[in-house]
Amino acid sequence: MSAIDLLQLNVWLDYIFTTLYVIVLVALSLHFIVGNVLVSGRAKRRFIGWEWPHHDGPPVPFLPKFLHFQHVASMIVLAITGLYIRFPGFLIGDVSNARTFMRGAHYVAMIIVTINLVWRLWYTFYSSQRDYREFAITKMDIITAPKVILYYIFVKSDKPHLAKYNVMQKATYTAFAPLLILQAITGFALVTFPFEFLGNTSPRDWILGWNLGLLLGSTDLAGWYMRIAHYVINWLFILLTTIHVYLSVSEDLPAFLNFFGLGFLDKNHGGHHGDEGHEGHGDDHDHGHVHAPVISKAD
Amino acid sequence: MLLSRRINIALVGAFACVLFSAHVAVAQEYDLNFTLPTAGKSGCMVCHADPNLGRLQGDKFVSYWVDPRPLDEGPHAGVLCTGCHLDFAYKAPHNIAETEWQRTARLACKNCHQDQWKVYSDGAHSLAVQPGAQATERELEKPLCGDCHGAHDIVALTDNPAGRALMHTQGRQVCGRCHEDYWDNYSDYYHGEAYRRGATDAPSCWQCHGAHDIFPSDDRRSQVHERTLSDTCAQCHPDTNEAYIAYAGLIHKRMDIAEANPLFGIISSAKDAIRGVFGQIRSWFT
């Protein structure tokens, strides 16, 4: 790809993802207003009748909740500071040295996310409470995937319940791991100041100098490609997280609240349902197994 | 009692006369005729240290106040006023109508800073007027030393990080006020947009284009000529190649590229629509 194309690509990416994000926001708004409120009545049953999916699994341990909370906070910082680094007019006006501060905040959040990622992967695969099976997509998941999609587009009133997470959740959460690893690599490849412990070379030299840098004849050019990849993945995170938050809130608000230590805002918190397993916005038993005694399957 | 009142009235009247005469004095031509002491700054500063010193030129009040603080704290604290104001008549009132005292002062730097003057003289901003020739209007528009570096408030740059940091913030004043187009389109992500927002680690105009040795970009001597661009970029990006330095095409042309993008019109319309909606909502409450 010629560099001229890279100039075009930079601008195209800005517009494509900005447009895409607006489309997603409009689509989710329509999904909620038309689908949840007008067509299916799910919103009324959930937010007014307070009928939410029932969870019968064990409570989610503290550690994954803690890591998730830290991860959310750090990712918000990363998204805001990252967009500021690319678009210095973003959020803050003319503030001297704001970019230096934003870069510092970006690096701190980056370190937290990287530690979190390693910690979560260890927890997933090697801890005594390892939960990698919860994310594994089974044959049944694939077979029943269309029904899950039909449920989300309000064609069906119920979706198959196979495990804690449905197939779409499994696919999304599993995709987060390689995306995070890629984002960490591309992010470190953008750091150009040298470190003593790297033999006075920069992370960019260390990551790109012996491969893509050699191939392209310039580590800085390789860094440009990394920046583009970093920017694209950043938008993928923003898009996926927006959808994730929307579905978490609209499908299982009590679990969402509980996951962030706000369970006391749940109207049924410590109340009549007595559901100790009600933690973690999983896919456990949707309609037909709700907190509230009144059950509707009209949608 | 009556006497006391009369004295009071007389005093008030006298004070009013003084005020009136002072007002008239400002508007009138003054007539001074004495030789100014120029052996030290104090001779000039007797008058010019007064913040109220000025003249009415038409309807406009032009101040001739010289703030002594930056002058005394600056690198030229030991230089006499006449060290720069070379062509001043040493008599008051100064005959400013018949002298180019401002241009003279702004060029006076060359008498001491000869190395810089030599480089400047070869660059695009040099006056290039042959001795005895009349400078054209375009020549007269070219910046002199003082136009970029300032006058009484000049700061040292050599071995002075604070001075360099201050100079770094002056891109709009130094270059942008004449090269408005280039200032406006210096809007790529990491250089221009960041610099214009005050990023201290983003390059100022002269970090790429040069300062005293500035040339048009199509001049082979220019730091941004295609022949030398890679060396210029390498100041910050040490491992570049030809493909990489093509990024320079974005530095002053991002908006051109953006405006040519088919999505630009849609997003601009959407932005305008959103602004319109918010403007309408705001108008309901104001």
Side-chain angles (χ1 to χ4, degrees):
Chain A
M1 180 179 287
S2 76
I4 297 299
D5 292 335
L6 283 178
L7 300 187
Q8 292 283 345
L9 182 62
N10 264 275
V11 175
W12 268 104
L13 289 176
D14 295 339
Y15 287 132
I16 287 171
F17 282 112
T18 309
T19 308
L20 198 56
Y21 193 65
V22 172
I23 289 170
V24 165
L25 289 180
V26 171
L28 293 182
S29 304
L30 289 175
H31 184 269
F32 187 79
I33 294 166
V34 177
N36 276 309
V37 176
L38 299 176
V39 175
S40 70
R42 285 180 198 169
K44 188 180 176 188
R45 285 196 303 281
R46 289 169 181 166
F47 291 95
I48 297 171
W50 210 251
E51 300 167 18
W52 297 100
H54 176 74
H55 302 270
D56 53 5
V60 176
F62 171 76
L63 185 60
K65 283 168 75 174
F66 170 70
L67 292 177
H68 182 265
F69 181 80
Q70 278 200 93
H71 180 76
V72 169
S74 304
M75 289 298 270
I76 290 170
V77 172
L78 283 170
I80 292 171
T81 54
L83 285 174
Y84 181 86
I85 292 166
R86 185 172 176 90
F87 302 107
F90 179 71
L91 286 183
I92 299 174
D94 299 2
V95 181
S96 176
N97 252 354
R99 184 161 75 164
T100 306
F101 171 79
M102 290 292 184
R103 278 200 174 126
H106 201 77
Y107 295 148
V108 170
M110 165 196 79
I111 291 164
I112 295 172
V113 164
T114 308
I115 293 170
N116 266 353
L117 174 64
V118 174
W119 202 348
R120 190 62 175 87
L121 287 174
W122 167 83
Y123 178 88
T124 306
F125 293 105
Y126 298 106
S127 73
S128 60
Q129 293 170 303
R130 50 187 173 270
D131 57 356
Y132 64 88
R133 284 191 185 87
E134 289 176 3
F135 302 97
I137 296 175
T138 63
K139 196 176 170 186
M140 276 306 289
D141 278 324
I142 294 166
I143 291 168
T144 57
K147 289 181 181 173
V148 175
I149 294 167
L150 290 174
Y151 165 80
Y152 280 118
I153 58 171
F154 307 103
V155 174
K156 281 188 163 293
S157 62
D158 209 346
K159 64 179 180 292
H161 174 69
L162 300 174
K164 183 176 178 180
Y165 302 123
N166 69 49
V167 62
M168 287 169 68
Q169 287 175 298
K170 284 179 178 180
T172 309
Y173 302 162
T174 305
F176 275 140
L179 281 178
L180 273 170
I181 292 168
L182 269 176
Q183 192 70 332
I185 293 169
T186 55
F188 280 113
L190 298 181
V191 181
T192 54
F193 44 80
F195 287 94
E196 230 176 276
F197 70 91
L198 293 176
N200 279 325
T201 58
S202 69
R204 169 177 292 179
D205 294 330
W206 202 68
I207 294 170
L208 300 175
W210 53 276
N211 46 62
L212 199 57
L214 277 181
L215 196 70
L216 298 172
S218 158
T219 49
D220 285 319
L221 181 60
W224 192 359
Y225 281 92
M226 290 297 107
R227 177 171 281 123
I228 289 171
H230 198 71
Y231 183 58
V232 169
I233 297 169
N234 149 76
W235 270 112
L236 292 180
F237 274 125
I238 290 174
L239 290 163
L240 286 174
T241 306
T242 302
I243 297 167
H244 173 59
V245 171
Y246 165 73
L247 288 176
S248 300
V249 171
S250 64
E251 290 292 317
D252 200 348
L253 180 61
F256 178 85
L257 294 172
N258 213 322
F259 217 85
F260 287 95
L262 301 170
F264 58 89
L265 294 173
D266 179 2
K267 284 183 194 171
N268 295 331
H269 178 69
H272 58 270
H273 58 74
D275 177 17
E276 296 205 345
H278 178 61
E279 287 185 37
H281 40 85
D283 194 36
D284 301 47
H285 299 218
D286 20 80
H287 308 283
H289 301 275
V290 292
H291 289 157
V294 180
I295 298 167
S296 169
K297 297 185 77 174
D299 54 329
Chain B
M1 193 68 168
L2 186 64
L3 183 66
S4 168
R5 184 181 295 172
R6 281 180 180 166
I7 290 170
N8 277 340
I9 290 168
L11 282 173
V12 169
F15 185 60
C17 286
V18 169
L19 280 180
F20 179 71
S21 61
H23 175 73
V24 170
V26 169
Q28 285 180 335
E29 280 294 318
Y30 58 90
D31 185 18
L32 299 171
N33 189 5
F34 59 89
T35 302
L36 294 166
T38 55
K41 275 188 228 160
S42 55
C44 304
M45 296 306 273
V46 165
C47 298
H48 287 279
D50 178 1
N52 297 315
L53 183 70
R55 260 187 192 171
L56 276 175
Q57 291 185 357
D59 293 337
K60 197 176 163 192
F61 178 78
V62 178
S63 173
Y64 291 113
W65 174 51
V66 176
D67 186 350
R69 282 170 302 178
L71 201 58
D72 291 338
E73 291 164 8
H76 294 149
V79 178
L80 297 180
C81 306
T82 49
C84 300
H85 296 284
L86 301 162
D87 59 345
F88 252 92
Y90 299 137
K91 295 189 81 175
H94 311 303
N95 185 4
I96 58 171
E98 293 174 12
T99 59
E100 286 196 311
W101 66 274
Q102 286 177 312
R103 289 178 62 79
T104 304
R106 287 177 193 157
L107 266 177
C109 315
K110 67 187 166 101
N111 296 322
C112 298
H113 302 280
Q114 287 167 3
D115 290 345
Q116 287 85 346
W117 168 251
K118 188 176 180 313
V119 177
Y120 165 87
S121 300
D122 290 337
H125 288 152
S126 73
L127 300 178
V129 180
Q130 296 302 316
Q134 188 70 31
T136 62
E137 198 174 320
R138 180 160 170 73
E139 294 291 339
L140 293 174
E141 281 175 358
K142 289 182 176 179
L144 309 175
C145 316
D147 289 314
C148 299
H149 290 279
H152 301 120
D153 56 350
I154 195 166
V155 293
L157 301 178
T158 309
D159 300 328
N160 182 17
R164 297 184 84 84
L166 180 64
M167 186 75 185
H168 184 268
T169 64
Q170 302 296 308
R172 172 75 183 86
Q173 289 79 5
V174 172
C175 305
R177 66 193 162 99
C178 296
H179 301 282
E180 280 181 35
D181 289 354
Y182 288 96
W183 175 257
D184 291 341
N185 65 26
Y186 186 31
S187 62
D188 75 309
Y189 312 101
Y190 311 105
H191 300 85
E193 188 69 18
Y195 178 74
R196 286 159 22 128
R197 300 278 175 180
T200 52
D201 57 347
S204 57
C205 317
W206 48 90
Q207 283 178 280
C208 299
H209 292 272
H212 301 122
D213 55 345
I214 196 163
F215 293 98
S217 59
D218 56 358
D219 188 309
R220 285 169 63 83
R221 293 168 295 174
S222 166
Q223 286 183 206
V224 293
H225 184 266
E226 57 184 19
R227 191 177 65 91
T228 47
L229 188 59
S230 60
D231 292 337
T232 303
C233 298
Q235 294 175 97
C236 300
H237 309 284
D239 189 23
T240 61
N241 63 7
E242 199 178 323
Y244 179 79
I245 60 170
Y247 179 89
L250 208 57
I251 291 176
H252 281 284
K253 289 182 181 157
R254 184 170 81 93
M255 281 318 295
D256 291 345
I257 296 171
E259 282 168 15
N261 190 291
L263 289 174
F264 179 81
I266 298 169
I267 289 176
S268 298
S269 306
K271 271 186 188 169
D272 291 343
I274 292 166
R275 274 198 207 106
V277 169
F278 280 106
Q280 183 63 48
I281 292 169
R282 195 183 299 132
S283 70
W284 292 339
F285 296 97
T286 53

